[in-house]
């Protein structure tokens, strides 16, 4: 089945004759069910529905130790609360890769290798005295999520009625995992009220509609703000509020591409509405903290590699002639079909043009030109 193509700006469709019933809530999956041969079929069935029909799910009983998660959250928040000048020491404009992102350690690419491989390499770390224990806590958490990701590779394959090892060849060993540390300030209406009256009409978009570029994303919503929303296949936005002791897992463009669109990379966004920063008792919640871990395929996979995965016909038929509406930027879809590295690199350039202008001016100019032509 062909991957999604664009028929209008910001909207992706698959060739269609019917519309699959759209989800109205995000399913909750219990990973502990996968550990028993008695309950594993139930888990795989629910996982298949979540991957194909939704593209999002909550995952509980992840086996990530509570103390590992707690230590990571405390130190990640402490880092993000540092003075701006401290955080700017590792701002990605001072480096040709990432900003407030930390990756599984992988060798930096050589000068003759494709430029898109520069989205990997050694991390920049803040001074240990700034947030004692930060590096250890982050690396321990990233390792724990990496182990979860290894489990999910097998379970995704089994949910699609493939051999359990069918997806392993698409990943590096160790795989490229990236954790992003995100802090969303409250809307200005909360910070600059007059006469004690808040302007509730001033909504703010924290992150616009988009699809993640990787295989799966494992999101830890570290505060109770209900800002995250996922778009169902009919185009309706569905809330994804935090649920204690779960991770939010969503399908990325790479998994969508390698399954020919069978697995759904659901469009999502973060909305910084006034009411999302106030609890049920009217108390101010402060800034929102969000920590996604992105599980990535080999960056140098080719379109032939991605299309080499053959799904059983009864799985492919689950979304045959299906229509999907998405408000995500459709321009990036073709790059993810060519190579995960090209897709991720192009999205980073256009999202952070200040970095592109400093390190990759020619590539940025080409990407922006292509994006503008696509929109017109």
């Amino acid at each position: 089945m062909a991957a999604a193509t664009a028929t209008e700006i910001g909207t992706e469709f698959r060739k269609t004759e019917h519309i699959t019933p759209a989800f109205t809530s995000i399913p909750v999956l219990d990973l502990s069910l996968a550990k028993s041969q008695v309950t594993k079929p139930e888990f795989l069935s629910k996982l298949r529905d979540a991957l194909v029909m939704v593209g999002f799910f909550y995952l509980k009983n992840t086996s990530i130790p509570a103390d590992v998660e707690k230590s990571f959250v405390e130190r990640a928040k402490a880092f993000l609360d540092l003075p701006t000048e401290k955080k700017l020491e590792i701002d990605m404009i001072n480096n040709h890769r990432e900003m407030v992102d930390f990756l599984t350690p992988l060798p930096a690419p050589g000068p003759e290798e494709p430029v898109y491989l520069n989205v990997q390499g050694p991390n920049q770390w803040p001074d240990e005295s700034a947030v004692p224990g930060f590096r250890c806590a982050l690396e321990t958490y990233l390792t724990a999520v990496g182990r979860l990701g290894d489990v999910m590779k097998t379970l995704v394959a089994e949910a699609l009625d493939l051999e359990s090892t069918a997806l392993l060849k698409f990943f590096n060993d160790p795989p490229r995992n990236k954790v992003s540390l995100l802090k969303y300030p409250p809307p200005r209406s909360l910070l600059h009220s007059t006469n004690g009256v808040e302007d509730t009409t001033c909504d703010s978009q924290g992150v616009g509609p988009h699809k993640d570029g990787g295989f799966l994303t494992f999101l830890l919503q570290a505060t109770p703000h209900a800002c995250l929303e996922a778009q169902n296949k009919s185009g309706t936005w569905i809330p994804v509020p935090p649920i204690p002791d779960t991770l939010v897992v969503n399908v990325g463009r790479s998994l969508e591409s390698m399954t020919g669109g069978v697995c759904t990379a659901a469009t999502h966004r973060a909305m910084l509405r006034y009411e999302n920063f106030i609890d049920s008792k009217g108390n101010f919640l402060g800034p929102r903290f969000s920590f996604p871990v992105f599980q990535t395929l080999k960056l140098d996979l080719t379109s032939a590699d991605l299309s080499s995965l053959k799904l059983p016909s009864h799985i492919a038929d689950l979304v045959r002639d299906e229509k999907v509406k998405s408000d995500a930027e459709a321009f990036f879809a073709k790059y993810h079909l060519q190579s995960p590295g090209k897709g991720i690199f192009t999205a980073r350039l256009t999202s952070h043009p200040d970095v592109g202008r400093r390190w990759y001016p020619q590539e940025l100019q080409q990407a922006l030109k292509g994006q503008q032509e696509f929109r017109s």
Side-chain angles (χ1 to χ4, degrees), residues 5-6 9 19 24 34 70 87 137 154 169 216 220 266 275 284 300 344:
T5 57
I9 298 174
I19 301 176
T24 58
K70 181 175 183 290
K87 287 182 286 189
T154 298
K169 64 182 180 181
L216 291 176
L220 173 57
E275 60 268 24
F284 176 48
D300 58 356
I344 293 170

Side-chain angles (χ1 to χ4, degrees), residues 294-311:
F294 303 94
Q295 184 183 28
T296 311
L297 303 181
K298 293 178 182 176
L299 296 178
D300 58 356
L301 291 174
T302 65
S303 58
D305 295 327
L306 292 171
S307 61
S308 67
L309 185 69
K310 304 301 181 185
L311 298 180

